[in-house]
Amino acid sequence: MKLFTAVFGTSTVAAISAYAGGVADMIVETAPVVMEPTETVGSSAPSWVIPVIIIAALVGAAALSGDDDDDDTGGLY
């Protein structure tokens, strides 16, 4: 019985290993592709336009916001 268990266990392990190897996808190595650098296309707007727009928006938001700290009661802080 021990011999049968040993042979059965060995053949089971061999069968599982063979099956697992057959299921895996084959690894195919491809030749490396060399990418040629392309020239960058410049923007039509100068680089300082976007920061100026952001600063103008922040200044405009600050100018439009109400100041709730002004009290006309004449008291001290």
Side-chain angles (χ1 to χ4, degrees), residues 2-64:
K2 289 183 182 181
L3 178 63
F4 175 75
T5 306
V7 170
F8 181 73
T10 305
S11 63
T12 303
V13 169
I16 289 173
S17 298
Y19 178 73
V23 174
D25 292 335
M26 190 169 95
I27 298 174
V28 178
E29 294 185 18
T30 60
V33 177
V34 178
M35 300 293 292
E36 294 293 328
T38 59
E39 294 183 25
T40 58
V41 178
S43 174
S44 62
S47 62
W48 54 269
V49 171
I50 293 175
V52 168
I53 292 172
I54 293 172
I55 291 171
L58 292 174
V59 168
L64 291 176

